[in-house]
Amino acid sequence: MGAGKGKTRRTAATSRSLGAQAPSPHPLTPILKISPDGTKDYTLPDGRLHRVGGPATEHPDGSVAWCENGVHHRVGGPAIIDAVTGRQEWYQRGVLHREDGPAVECRDGSKEWWVRGEKHREDGPAEIRSNGEEIWWLNGEQADWETLKQVQAAKQKAEKETQLVNNLRSVDLGQPERVTF
């Protein structure tokens, strides 16, 4: 008796001679589709745009869009870059979101700050228009300067209280003195 490899080889050879198809790709393997205008779309078999590590749509003009599972998504950079207008948009899981700067930036100088799909900024205006107009937003609601100052003051107070508590926790009281009578 052999090691059993002969049967495996015969089965594989028979499958090849009968025209067996290669295994189907993983369900999350994107399929490249190129349209007549040269636009490249990477889609899942169900048609949703999807590509990890690169843009899911590439236009001939240089515009790109990153998508995963059919929604705009990119960590560490804008998910949409319009090469014609210069507009850049940061998305995570399909909603405008960026914590370290504006989620929308335009070539004309306008900027918008978004957090989890809502216009929001605590340390300045959440919207700066190309004409220099500044508009404040907190949690998706337009706010005035006074409200923003109150939120900033409350945040600073909470930070100071947290720092005080942490400082008190780090104080080494040592061993209590032994008192004898």
Side-chain angles (χ1 to χ4, degrees), residues 161-173:
E161 289 173 354
T162 301
Q163 186 178 19
L164 179 63
V165 169
N166 289 337
N167 288 344
L168 289 173
R169 286 183 181 151
S170 67
V171 172
D172 182 15
L173 299 176

Side-chain angles (χ1 to χ4, degrees), residues 36-149:
D37 73 350
T39 298
K40 297 177 184 178
D41 286 326
Y42 293 84
T43 63
L44 296 174
D46 63 7
R48 291 178 295 155
L49 290 168
H50 177 82
R51 187 175 178 199
V52 177
T57 299
E58 299 174 14
H59 295 278
D61 66 9
S63 298
V64 291
W66 275 257
C67 296
E68 291 185 20
N69 296 310
V71 297
H72 291 107
H73 177 78
R74 185 178 181 198
V75 176
I80 298 174
I81 301 173
D82 187 324
V84 175
T85 65
R87 185 177 174 97
Q88 297 184 3
E89 300 175 4
W90 277 253
Y91 281 86
Q92 288 190 6
R93 295 180 186 88
V95 296
L96 281 165
H97 176 82
R98 186 177 179 196
E99 294 183 7
D100 62 347
V104 177
E105 293 182 280
C106 298
R107 188 177 291 142
D108 66 5
S110 58
K111 298 177 183 183
E112 297 175 10
W113 279 254
W114 292 75
V115 176
R116 290 181 292 281
E118 295 182 329
K119 279 188 184 178
H120 178 82
R121 187 176 179 200
E122 294 178 2
D123 61 349
E127 187 176 349
I128 301 173
R129 297 188 175 162
S130 61
N131 64 3
E133 181 182 3
E134 297 179 340
I135 304 169
W136 285 263
W137 293 80
L138 293 172
N139 301 315
E141 294 186 18
Q142 197 167 346
D144 59 15
W145 175 243
E146 290 303 316
T147 303
L148 188 65
K149 285 195 321 190

